[in-house]
């Protein structure tokens, strides 16, 4: 190994310190002989053990800090920043032995490039997740917020700089280089980074809320506009500091790079996506080629004197968002880039900060602090006042304004680049880092306190089947996750006996997990003239339900929607659509999937969590459909050619009342027979509600009155506890095609005593859990109904 030493300049010094040189071994020694081997005292002179120790410290401190902070709803960014401050010169770095071994200047040449490489991948993935085509579909409100979010701080910032230059320079142009570079800092403070806002909204679980969608649309416009201004600002700065000819050459090279990306790279990536068969992974060769192109674009960015991250970001924009290519790149790179490299980058930038050395009395630090305050205030007011003008609620306007001034890793990287270029001093850089930390603390807390999207779902109006007019259209929202959900939902809708006298208004929502995108997408297929990115979403769903509508013309109307969003936030799309369509009931599929033989094929824990979120927030009634496989075996959706037997288990209470009203709608068709089984307790129920008892008697009297006049049968079964109820259910499951029960969650009755001891799926209630148990190998599917919660 070549052990020649090279002389490299030490990092820029400030204050009274003077610049010097540092002797560094090149190439560095990599592997040590071990902690207990020969030369163990020189363990930290080897690059690999030093890197491992640095990463271990950064990740350990970050996790320790994030454990209590995440319970306050504060994103992980703050923990990463504080970890860097603790491990840096502010605290532990004050001890010379620690600084000279663990985070020595020699080791920065190893961990620094690794962290920068991670940030490069982050910018590439951020571009790959952005859907630039959405700009054409963005409303005027988002356009206004996005443009003002850049223009307002730019105007106010440049006005402040002009006043500052006049004060310092006494009316003449100052020769202070850092004052001359203030316009660059103004632009950096004026840009709202789309990746930062997307990560913030994801952490706050507001990504597909109404406010989140508006913030993302506005930020997309703001960030692209700000990036263009930043590029032009760099070119102008080059012309001012060097020569106009050099600036023109850089501008031409930049335009050439953009042209090649748009007209060569982008079509090539679209071709790769088209060549990939549906459901098949993208070839590794194409993935490696794209990653190589990202590195080349970073190097080429240096040639026209932009930051090394500009090229990867533009390359990311060229990637067709979503599957197959965009999602494949995100799946391969995101966990490593976001989970390993990016935290290193954030903590290392904070590690360079010495908060103890901050002196706000210095002109540069005071000027930069005031400049950040001016631009942030201009951003805040530039978003808040137009939001009020657009009649947005006060809390929503304030929340949107604070979201739009959020700062994060992109802003921190900009400040770091400005420090490396000597645009800002170390003292000013520390002030900017403190401002970023303060922003990371205050913005999430304020937004969480002011904005709660579930408030709009509060039920002040009756939106359920029981209180809907029997002769008016019954609005039903049906959720589809997998292809096998289609037949099961269609069979249930057909069993509800739609007719011209009792019509159905069906709203079909196809839910697709967000992959390879940063922004959620909601598509109304009635309003859609052209699908997003020319991708045909939900084609099978639309065809199946359109055929169902044609087969029941005059009795059924169908509207189809597609929601592409994170699984954890899909309940927002479901509940919002139910609210907008005035749905009386939401049909959601159960998370367990059965085969034709009655065995369990698969379970989806994510779908189970989603169903629980919908149950807690739904603005109307809910029906959880447990498809036991029998419904999928029928070749025909129609029920006219054979009998279809339905049973409804009635104990009492609001959920059972709702389930019985829905079951009675089914008994209008000759091919459907309904059996109402009333489980009567032999023990007096002291906890029952008298008002519910009266309503129970009314709905049951209506059933008894129709016995013999329609296809309804009424049976009373006396039981003393849950075990007897379970025995009756076990005998029924082989006699019926569909069994309907009320959820009755946390409603104790003698008929269900003891069933809670074996309860597996709380979202189904006690009776529903027994019927959906894997121990019951039967043909009967189950519908568990919960009436609208108020």
């Amino acid at each position: 190994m070549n052990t020649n030493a090279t002389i490299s300049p030490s990092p820029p010094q400030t204050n009274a310190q003077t610049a010097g040189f540092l002797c560094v071994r090149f190439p560095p020694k990599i592997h040590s002989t071990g902690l207990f081997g020969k030369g163990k005292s020189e363990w930290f002179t080897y690059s690999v053990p030093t890197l491992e120790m640095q990463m271990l410290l950064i990740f350990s401190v970050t996790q320790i800090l994030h454990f209590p902070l995440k319970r306050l709803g504060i994103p992980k960014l703050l923990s990463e920043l504080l970890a860097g401050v603790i491990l840096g010169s502010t605290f532990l770095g004050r001890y010379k032995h620690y600084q000279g071994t663990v985070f020595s200047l020699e080791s920065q040449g190893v961990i620094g490039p690794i962290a920068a490489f991670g940030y490069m991948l982050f910018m590439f993935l951020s571009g790959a997740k952005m859907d630039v085509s959405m700009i054409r579909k963005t409303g005027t409100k988002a356009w206004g917020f996005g443009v003002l979010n850049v223009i307002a701080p730019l105007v106010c910032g440049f006005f402040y700089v002009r006043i500052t230059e006049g004060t310092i320079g006494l009316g003449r142009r100052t020769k202070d280089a850092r004052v001359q570079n203030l316009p660059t800092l103004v632009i950096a403070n004026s840009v709202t980074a789309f990746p930062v806002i997307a990560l913030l909204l994801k952490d706050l679980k507001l990504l597909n809320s109404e406010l989140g969608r508006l913030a993302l649309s506005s930020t997309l416009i703001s960030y692209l506009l700000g990036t263009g201004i930043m590029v032009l600002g760099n070119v102008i700065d080059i012309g001012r500091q060097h020569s106009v000819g050099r600036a023109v050459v850089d501008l031409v090279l930049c335009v050439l790079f953009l042209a090649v990306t748009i007209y060569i790279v982008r079509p090539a990536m679209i071709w790769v996506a088209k060549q990939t068969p549906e459901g098949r992974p993208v070839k590794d060769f194409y993935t490696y080629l794209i990653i190589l192109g990202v590195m080349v674009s970073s190097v080429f960015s240096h040639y026209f004197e932009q930051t090394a991250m500009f090229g990867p970001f533009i390359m990311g924009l060229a990637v067709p968002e979503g599957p197959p290519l965009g999602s494949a790149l995100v799946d391969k790179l995101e966990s490593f880039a976001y989970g390993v490299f990016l935290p290193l980058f954030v903590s290392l930038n904070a590690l360079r900060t010495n908060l103890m050395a901050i002196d706000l009395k210095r002109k540069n630090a005071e000027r930069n602090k005031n400049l950040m305050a001016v631009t942030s205030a201009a951003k805040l007011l530039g978003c808040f006042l137009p939001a009020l003008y657009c009649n947005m609620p006060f809390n929503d306007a304030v929340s949107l304004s604070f979201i739009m001034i959020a700062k994060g890793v992109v802003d921190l990287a900009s400040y770091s680049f400005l420090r490396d270029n000597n645009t800002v001093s170390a003292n000013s850089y520390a002030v900017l880092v403190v401002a970023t930390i303060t922003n990371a603390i205050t913005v999430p807390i304020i937004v969480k306190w002011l904005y709660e999207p579930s408030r709009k779902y509060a039920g002040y109006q009756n939106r359920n089947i029981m209180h809907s007019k029997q002769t008016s259209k019954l609005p039903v929202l049906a959720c589809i996750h997998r292809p096998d959900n289609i037949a099961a939902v269609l069979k249930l809708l057909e069993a509800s006996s739609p007719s011209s006298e009792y019509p159905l208004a069906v709203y079909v929502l196809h839910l697709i997990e967000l992959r390879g995108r940063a922004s959620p997408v909601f598509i109304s297929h009635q309003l859609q003239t052209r699908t997003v990115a020319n991708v045909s979403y939900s084609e099978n769903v639309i065809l199946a339900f359109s055929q169902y509508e044609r087969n029941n013309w005059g009795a059924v109307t169908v509207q189809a929607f597609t929601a592409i969003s994170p699984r954890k936030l899909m309940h927002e799309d479901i509940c919002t659509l139910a609210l907008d369509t005035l749905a009386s009931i939401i049909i959601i599929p159960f998370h367990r999937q059965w085969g034709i033989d009655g065995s369990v094929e698969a379970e989806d824990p994510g779908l189970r969590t989603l169903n629980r979120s919908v149950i807690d927030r739904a603005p109307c009634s809910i029906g959880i459909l447990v498809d036991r496989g029998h419904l999928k075996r029928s070749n025909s959706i129609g029920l006219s050619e054979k009998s279809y037997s339905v049973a409804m288990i009635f104990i009492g209470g609001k959920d059972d009342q709702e389930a019985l009203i829905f079951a009675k709608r089914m008994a209008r068709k000759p091919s459907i027979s309904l059996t109402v089984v009333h489980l009567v307790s032999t023990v007096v129920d002291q906890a029952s509600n008298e008002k519910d008892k009266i309503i129970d008697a009314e709905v049951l009297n209506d059933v008894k009155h129709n016995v013999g006049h329609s296809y309804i049968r009424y049976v009373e079964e006396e039981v003393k506890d849950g075990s007897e109820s379970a025995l009756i259910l076990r005998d029924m499951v082989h006699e019926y095609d569909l069994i309907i029960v009320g959820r009755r969650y946390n409603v104790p009755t003698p008929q269900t005593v003891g069933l809670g001891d074996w309860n597996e799926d709380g979202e189904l209630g006690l009776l529903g859990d027994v019927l959906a148990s894997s121990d019951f190998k039967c043909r009967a599917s189950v519908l568990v109904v919960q009436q609208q919660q108020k």
Side-chain angles (χ1 to χ4, degrees):
M1 176 183 293
N2 181 15
T3 58
N4 293 331
T6 60
I7 304 296
S8 65
S10 62
Q13 307 295 316
T14 57
N15 306 339
Q17 298 177 355
T18 58
F21 290 91
L22 179 70
C23 186
V24 179
R25 181 184 296 273
F26 185 82
K29 294 187 291 184
I30 300 177
H31 298 289
S32 72
T33 57
L35 186 61
F36 302 102
K38 184 179 178 180
K40 59 184 179 181
S41 60
E42 300 180 358
W43 189 61
F44 280 103
T45 62
Y46 296 91
S47 58
V48 171
T50 303
L51 176 63
E52 291 170 342
M53 178 59 70
Q54 291 169 340
M55 295 177 66
L56 178 63
L57 284 173
I58 290 174
F59 292 140
S60 299
V61 176
T62 299
Q63 293 302 324
I64 291 172
L65 293 172
H66 188 57
F67 182 76
L69 291 176
K70 68 180 178 181
R71 284 156 175 75
L72 301 176
I74 298 177
K76 198 174 182 180
L77 173 69
L78 178 62
S79 304
E80 295 164 355
L81 287 169
L82 293 178
V85 171
I86 292 172
L87 296 173
S89 302
T90 306
F91 292 100
L92 296 179
R94 300 169 66 183
Y95 300 98
K96 293 183 178 180
H97 180 70
Y98 164 86
Q99 189 176 31
T101 54
V102 181
F103 285 99
S104 62
L105 291 175
E106 297 94 323
S107 67
Q108 303 303 307
V110 177
I111 193 172
I114 291 176
F117 177 75
Y119 182 69
M120 181 191 73
L121 289 180
F122 168 76
M123 292 303 296
F124 168 69
L125 292 176
S126 298
K129 290 180 178 181
M130 292 173 64
D131 185 4
V132 184
S133 64
M134 293 298 293
I135 291 179
R136 300 194 303 269
K137 306 173 181 66
T138 301
T140 54
K141 185 187 294 185
W143 267 97
F145 291 151
V147 173
L148 284 174
N149 192 249
V150 177
I151 300 301
L154 274 179
V155 172
C156 294
F158 282 128
F159 181 72
Y160 172 78
V161 169
R162 186 64 182 169
I163 294 176
T164 304
E165 286 193 35
T167 302
I168 295 177
L170 300 177
R172 300 182 302 275
R173 185 173 180 84
T174 177
K175 294 183 179 181
D176 189 341
R178 284 176 181 151
V179 175
Q180 293 179 7
N181 289 328
L182 277 178
T184 304
L185 188 58
V186 171
I187 296 174
N189 284 329
S190 300
V191 176
T192 299
F194 181 87
V196 171
I197 304 302
L199 287 175
L200 174 66
L201 293 173
K202 183 179 179 181
D203 289 333
L204 294 176
K205 298 180 180 180
L206 299 176
L207 200 59
N208 58 344
S209 64
E210 292 182 8
L211 188 69
R213 292 179 188 274
L214 178 58
L216 281 177
S217 300
S218 304
T219 308
L220 177 63
I221 295 165
S222 175
Y223 189 46
L224 294 178
L225 177 61
T227 301
I229 293 174
M230 189 174 294
V231 171
L232 291 177
N234 286 342
V235 172
I236 293 172
D237 194 51
I238 291 168
R240 181 172 58 85
Q241 293 184 4
H242 301 283
S243 66
V244 176
R246 181 170 171 176
V248 171
V249 171
D250 287 342
L251 183 60
V252 170
L253 289 174
C254 183
V255 172
L256 180 63
F257 171 72
L258 292 175
V260 169
T261 305
I262 294 172
Y263 296 109
I264 297 178
V265 177
R266 168 84 173 175
M269 292 190 180
I270 294 175
W271 179 85
V272 170
K274 290 181 177 179
Q275 293 300 311
T276 303
E278 186 175 355
R280 299 292 298 277
V282 179
K283 292 182 179 179
D284 289 340
F285 170 76
Y286 297 131
T287 304
Y288 301 149
L289 195 62
I290 291 172
I291 296 175
L292 178 62
V294 172
M295 297 179 184
V296 172
S297 68
S298 179
V299 174
F300 188 66
S301 297
H302 283 289
Y303 283 96
F304 50 87
E305 299 183 86
Q306 297 294 330
T307 64
M309 308 307 161
F310 176 76
F313 175 69
I314 299 299
M315 283 287 290
L317 292 178
V319 177
E321 66 286 339
L325 187 56
S327 58
L329 290 169
V330 171
D331 291 343
K332 288 180 181 292
L333 301 175
E334 185 177 42
S335 59
F336 206 58
Y338 283 58
V340 179
F341 288 146
L342 195 62
L344 283 180
F345 181 80
V346 174
S347 296
L348 280 179
N349 280 287
L351 191 138
R352 304 171 63 189
T353 307
N354 187 359
L355 301 185
M356 299 299 180
I358 292 179
D359 186 3
L360 294 179
K361 295 181 180 180
R362 293 184 183 173
K363 290 292 184 181
N364 286 334
E366 183 181 3
R367 191 187 304 115
N368 292 335
K369 178 197 69 174
N370 294 337
L371 180 60
M372 175 167 278
V374 168
T375 52
S376 297
K379 267 189 178 187
L380 194 70
L381 294 176
C383 186
F384 175 70
L385 295 179
L388 289 182
Y389 178 78
C390 295
N391 297 320
M392 186 178 290
F394 181 83
N395 282 6
D396 292 6
V398 175
S399 300
L400 179 63
S401 303
F402 273 96
I403 289 173
M404 297 298 285
I405 67 168
K407 294 189 177 297
V409 60
V410 177
D411 305 278
L412 192 67
S414 299
Y415 301 148
S416 179
F417 295 152
L418 292 178
R419 182 190 173 182
D420 292 339
N421 296 333
N422 207 26
T423 302
V424 297
S425 64
N427 188 38
S428 299
Y429 175 75
V431 173
L432 295 172
V433 171
V434 170
T436 304
I437 293 174
T438 305
N439 185 285
I441 296 173
T442 56
V443 169
I445 293 176
I446 292 174
V447 174
K448 286 197 70 172
W449 180 60
L450 289 175
Y451 185 73
E452 175 53 54
S454 61
R455 289 174 188 166
K456 63 182 178 182
Y457 306 137
Y460 299 109
Q461 296 180 341
N462 292 319
R463 293 184 179 179
N464 50 51
I465 302 174
M466 187 172 180
H467 292 90
S468 62
K469 294 181 180 179
Q470 295 296 312
T471 56
S472 63
K473 280 187 178 181
L474 178 66
V476 178
L477 173 58
C479 300
I480 304 295
H481 292 276
R482 302 183 303 265
D484 58 286
N485 297 149
I486 299 175
V489 171
L490 284 174
K491 185 77 79 160
L492 177 66
L493 294 174
E494 183 66 20
S496 62
S497 303
S499 63
S500 56
E501 292 82 10
Y502 303 96
L504 283 180
V506 181
Y507 303 95
V508 187
L509 179 60
H510 186 201
L511 295 153
I512 302 174
E513 187 173 3
L514 183 71
R515 293 177 59 228
R517 290 176 177 270
S519 303
V521 178
F522 190 88
I523 305 170
S524 171
H525 293 284
Q526 282 65 41
L527 303 176
Q528 176 191 5
T529 57
R530 182 179 170 189
T531 57
V532 178
N534 295 322
V535 176
S536 179
Y537 292 105
S538 312
E539 184 176 357
N540 294 334
V541 176
I542 296 170
L543 290 175
F545 280 89
S546 297
Q547 181 65 38
Y548 171 65
E549 182 181 24
R550 286 192 293 269
N551 293 341
N552 295 273
W553 192 257
V556 176
T557 58
V558 174
Q559 294 186 40
F561 303 87
T562 298
I564 307 173
S565 58
R567 177 67 72 90
K568 293 181 179 179
L569 303 178
M570 282 181 180
H571 61 271
E572 290 287 343
D573 294 311
I574 297 172
C575 295
T576 299
L577 184 60
L579 194 67
D580 294 341
T581 58
L582 304 179
S584 294
I585 187 170
I586 302 172
I587 305 298
I588 53 178
F590 190 51
H591 70 273
R592 192 174 295 152
Q593 184 178 355
W594 277 270
I596 294 178
D597 59 352
S599 62
V600 177
E601 286 186 350
E603 292 196 19
D604 188 347
L607 181 55
R608 182 180 188 179
T609 303
L610 171 62
N611 288 345
R612 289 177 172 177
S613 299
V614 175
I615 289 171
D616 292 339
R617 297 171 174 83
C620 60
S621 298
I622 295 173
I624 305 175
L625 180 58
V626 182
D627 179 22
R628 296 301 295 258
H630 172 70
L631 298 182
K632 294 185 288 185
R633 290 202 297 270
S634 176
N635 294 325
S636 174
I637 293 172
L639 299 170
S640 58
E641 298 178 359
K642 63 174 187 176
S643 62
Y644 188 76
S645 55
V646 180
M648 192 276 146
I649 313 299
F650 189 90
I651 295 178
K654 292 183 174 60
D655 293 348
D656 282 5
Q657 296 162 11
E658 186 81 357
L660 182 55
I661 297 296
F662 186 65
K664 284 166 58 180
R665 289 183 66 97
M666 299 181 173
R668 296 191 180 98
K669 187 173 287 190
S671 59
I672 299 178
S673 62
L674 171 64
T675 301
V676 178
V677 180
H678 185 195
L679 300 181
V680 181
S681 174
T682 57
V683 181
V684 178
D685 185 5
Q686 301 292 339
S688 60
N689 185 290
E690 291 299 326
K691 182 178 179 181
D692 285 340
K693 280 186 176 181
I694 296 173
I695 301 176
D696 290 344
E698 290 179 359
V699 295
L700 285 175
N701 285 336
D702 185 58
V703 171
K704 296 174 184 177
H705 177 74
N706 285 298
V707 171
H709 300 285
S710 61
Y711 304 96
I712 299 179
R713 191 165 67 99
Y714 176 77
V715 179
E716 281 191 4
E717 297 282 356
E718 290 189 350
V719 295
K720 66 177 181 180
D721 56 19
S723 60
E724 293 189 1
S725 299
L727 289 175
I728 293 175
L729 295 180
R730 184 177 292 274
D731 295 336
M732 292 176 56
V733 293
H734 299 289
E735 300 177 9
Y736 298 94
D737 300 299
L738 176 67
I739 300 177
I740 303 175
V741 297
R743 182 170 179 246
R744 300 178 49 79
Y745 184 68
N746 282 340
V747 181
T749 56
Q751 296 94 318
T752 58
V753 169
L755 294 181
D757 298 337
W758 296 279
N759 188 258
E760 297 178 359
D761 302 298
E763 62 269 27
L764 296 180
L766 296 178
L767 295 183
D769 180 68
V770 171
L771 291 168
S773 173
S774 56
D775 297 334
F776 277 34
K777 294 187 181 295
C778 61
R779 68 172 190 168
S781 292
V782 182
L783 180 67
V784 180
V785 178
Q786 173 183 279
Q787 194 181 67
Q788 173 194 16
Q789 303 293 303
K790 291 189 178 182

